[in-house]
Amino acid sequence: MHEIPDELISLERSAEQERTRLAGLTGDDYDAQLRRWREASAAFQAAVTEHAATVQISQYEVEQAVKKAVRYPEPEDGAAGE
């Protein structure tokens, strides 16, 4: 897989943060937060679509690579031995 742009990482992290903020909300607060999550997710998906078209690889591959990088980041150099 090629290099994942920082913008995609940032957009996916933002969408995940908005999703986690749904926990415990009800009523209007839940509805407002759900809209924020959907907007963040839509921004991520649009960026994935654009990037996939630019580098000519499948949108699915780009999305999965970004989600893996966000959810399972590789340790920083030197951190593995600590």
Side-chain angles (χ1 to χ4, degrees):
M1 185 75 190
H2 71 286
E3 183 78 19
I4 300 169
D6 290 341
E7 175 192 11
L8 293 179
I9 299 289
S10 178
L11 287 168
E12 173 60 8
R13 282 186 180 142
S14 176
E16 278 298 296
Q17 288 172 349
E18 295 299 343
R19 183 188 61 78
T20 61
R21 291 182 181 133
L22 286 166
L25 297 178
T26 59
D28 291 340
D29 291 336
Y30 179 87
D31 293 340
Q33 185 58 39
L34 183 62
R35 279 191 298 279
R36 285 190 287 275
W37 175 40
R38 287 181 176 164
E39 289 168 4
S41 294
F44 170 67
Q45 288 298 322
V48 165
T49 299
E50 182 179 333
H51 182 71
T54 300
V55 297
Q56 299 182 342
I57 60 175
S58 82
Q59 187 172 336
Y60 176 80
E61 286 181 54
V62 172
E63 181 177 352
Q64 293 306 303
V66 173
K67 288 183 179 211
K68 180 180 176 186
V70 169
R71 295 175 185 167
Y72 309 104
E74 293 186 17
E76 301 276 332
D77 288 342
E82 294 178 20

